[in-house]
Amino acid sequence: MKNFGIQVKPVGSNCNLKCKYCYAAPFSKEKIQIMPENILEATVKKFFQYQKNIFFSWHGGEPLIPGIEFYKTFVKILNKYKTEEHKIQNLIQTNATLITDDFAKFFKENDFKVSISLDGSQKIHNTNRIYKDGIGSFENVMRGV
């Protein structure tokens, strides 16, 4: 059985940070649009028809912007179409500033692997990974961790 990976960007290149070196920033929009549920469901359904081992890589921008309800809906959709033959993995790449206790619990309960963007020490991190107002994000990233 072959593995199949899909990168999902539920808010495109939009992010809550404005990192100085961001490759996605030129593609972000002023108005954030979250992937509609019908598109999410159609995507899952289509891949489940043709693949048995699927790796979902949640990316952005910042993939936690849609909030935890978006991901709860995703898991409901997965469960709707998943059979015993399907092997699913979820990885989320996040800046961790939006991780809450509820998100952490959800990730653990649903076996999401979480990868966090951190540039090093507080000084180094806050030089580039800043909010739109210029404030560094290190403390919020560490809270998320």
Side-chain angles (χ1 to χ4, degrees):
M1 225 183 283
K2 293 182 180 179
N3 292 321
F4 184 81
I6 178 173
Q7 185 176 75
V8 186
K9 297 175 76 169
V11 291
S13 296
N14 291 298
C15 188
N16 62 326
L17 297 181
K18 189 176 181 179
C19 300
K20 292 180 181 174
Y21 53 72
C22 182
Y23 64 88
F27 306 103
S28 66
K29 308 286 184 213
E30 193 163 317
K31 182 180 179 201
I32 295 175
Q33 294 181 322
I34 298 170
M35 178 186 283
E37 184 177 331
N38 64 318
I39 300 296
L40 181 62
E41 183 164 358
T43 301
V44 170
K45 182 179 179 181
K46 183 63 85 178
F47 285 111
F48 274 31
Q49 289 173 348
Y50 299 105
Q51 300 294 329
K52 299 299 179 204
N53 291 338
I54 305 172
F55 178 81
F56 290 91
S57 177
W58 297 92
H59 214 274
E62 175 49 47
L64 297 187
I65 288 174
I68 195 167
E69 291 305 317
F70 175 88
Y71 291 96
K72 287 180 178 180
T73 297
F74 168 71
V75 169
K76 285 179 189 174
I77 293 168
L78 278 183
N79 291 332
K80 179 177 177 180
Y81 295 102
K82 185 179 177 195
T83 68
E84 288 184 19
E85 296 177 316
H86 288 107
K87 303 293 183 233
I88 307 302
Q89 293 182 3
N90 283 287
L91 169 72
I92 195 156
Q93 178 67 43
T94 177
N95 62 37
T97 61
L98 301 176
I99 293 179
T100 61
D101 288 343
D102 288 340
F103 256 130
K105 183 178 176 183
F106 172 84
F107 292 148
K108 182 172 176 58
E109 289 173 351
N110 293 283
D111 197 29
F112 273 63
K113 308 299 186 248
V114 181
S115 180
I116 295 173
S117 302
L118 178 66
D119 285 4
S121 69
Q122 183 171 2
K123 182 179 180 182
I124 292 169
H125 181 91
N126 283 344
T127 299
N128 292 304
R129 288 190 162 273
I130 57 175
Y131 287 97
K132 293 172 181 157
D133 62 4
I135 303 290
S137 62
F138 184 84
E139 287 184 24
N140 288 330
V141 171
M142 295 310 294
R143 179 199 39 78
V145 170

